Structure formats: C-alpha cells, structure tokens
Amino acid sequence: NYSDNPRYQAAMRGETVNDFDFADHYHGPFSRDASTHNHLISSYVPVRQTPQEPVAGVFEVYTDVTSSVLAIERTEYMIYAGVAGMLTLLYLFLLTIVRRADRIIQAHESEERRAQAEQMHYMAYHDPLTGLPNRALFKDRFQHAAATAARGNETLGIMFIDIDRFKV
C-alpha cells in the first residue's frame, strides 16, 4: 500500500521522481541488515505502454550509497583535521615570529634606555655650551680623589684657573 507515499503518488500522475533518503530502518528486499542506517537514492518511474496511455504501474528503484556517503564523511573529517593542523602550524609560526619580534623590540628599548641614561649622565656632568666637565663632575671626582688620598695617607693638590670673559 503506497497511498501515503508522495513520491509514488507523483509517479502515478506521470512524474519521474528521484530523492535521496536516509532510511533509519530499511526493510527492502536487498537490505543488508534491518538495524543499519542506509543512505538511499530512490527513483520512482511511471510505466506506460505508450506515452498517451495512463500510468499502468510504477517502477521503483533503490540504490544504496551508504559506502559513498561514509567515504565522503571520512574525507570531510580528514579535511577538517588537515585544516585544523594547518591552522595550528600557522598559529605556532606566527607566535614564533611575534615572540622574536618582541625580543628584538625589548632589546632595542633596553639599548635605547641605556643610551638615554648615558646622555642624561653626560648632560648632568658637562657644560652644554662647551662640552667641558662642569662643577658637579668636579665635585664628584674631587670627593673620590680626596677619599682615595685619605685612605692611602697621601697629599692632594688642586689647581684653580679662572678665565676672565670666558663666555665672550
């Protein structure tokens, strides 16, 4: 009884119907196992003796494409795994590049800070106009020389030169 099958009914009206089905429990004459899931291509072909006569019957054809569907699913999983693997490799590659760039930037910043510290030290102990040592450097060096002379019980001499109209 195919009265509730819309594809059979369409074939009885003269239409050829093809469909892809997932049969949870296919009980057809050529089914392998009633408990297996089957992917089927079903075709309903109207049968007539001549094209003008009414449909005498319906030729029903099933093709089990379960193995093809399973092969496609396996291929999809392999593609997903390949894409995930490639994305992981790309992520690791980019992570390596970013970390290397970060180390280079940190080294450059450290070198820049060291150069700025040296520049500030030079500016603190030298005259900006002439570049000659200033009083702060003299005081630092004098205190160091006085401490060294006191430890070694030595004498220390200082010579003071005054230049008139130096800036002119």
Side-chain angles (χ1 to χ4, degrees):
N1 182 9
Y2 285 101
S3 62
D4 61 341
N5 187 330
R7 291 175 291 232
Y8 174 79
Q9 297 301 322
M12 286 301 289
R13 288 189 303 270
E15 301 172 28
T16 301
V17 180
N18 294 306
D19 199 6
F20 181 75
D21 291 325
F22 175 74
D24 197 21
H25 297 288
Y26 175 66
H27 299 287
F30 303 106
S31 67
R32 291 173 282 154
D33 181 5
S35 64
T36 61
H37 303 297
N38 294 289
H39 297 275
L40 306 172
I41 295 177
S42 59
S43 297
Y44 295 83
V45 181
V47 178
R48 301 178 184 155
Q49 288 188 348
T50 65
Q52 290 75 22
E53 289 187 26
V55 175
V58 174
F59 189 63
E60 189 176 352
V61 179
Y62 287 97
T63 303
D64 186 0
V65 291
T66 304
S67 60
S68 298
V69 170
L70 293 175
I72 290 169
E73 288 174 352
R74 277 193 304 273
T75 303
E76 285 177 349
Y77 291 133
M78 289 175 59
I79 289 171
Y80 292 148
V83 168
M86 293 300 287
L87 287 175
T88 301
L89 288 175
L90 178 63
Y91 173 78
L92 292 173
F93 175 71
L94 291 175
L95 182 66
T96 303
I97 289 174
V98 167
R99 286 201 174 160
R100 184 167 186 257
D102 187 46
R103 284 193 304 271
I104 290 170
I105 289 170
Q106 285 179 355
H108 180 69
E109 287 176 349
S110 175
E111 186 177 314
E112 207 171 276
R113 279 192 299 270
R114 185 185 51 77
Q116 287 176 351
E118 286 178 7
Q119 176 78 18
M120 287 174 37
H121 184 268
Y122 181 84
M123 290 171 62
Y125 289 112
H126 291 82
D127 182 66
L129 180 63
T130 63
L132 295 171
N134 64 11
R135 284 188 181 145
L137 181 61
F138 169 74
K139 182 178 177 185
D140 180 57
R141 297 276 169 90
F142 176 74
Q143 288 174 345
H144 179 70
T148 304
R151 274 195 306 268
N153 203 18
E154 298 175 355
T155 58
L156 177 67
I158 296 177
M159 180 169 53
F160 177 75
I161 301 173
D162 186 17
I163 303 173
D164 291 332
R165 297 173 33 137
F166 176 74
K167 290 185 180 180
V168 175

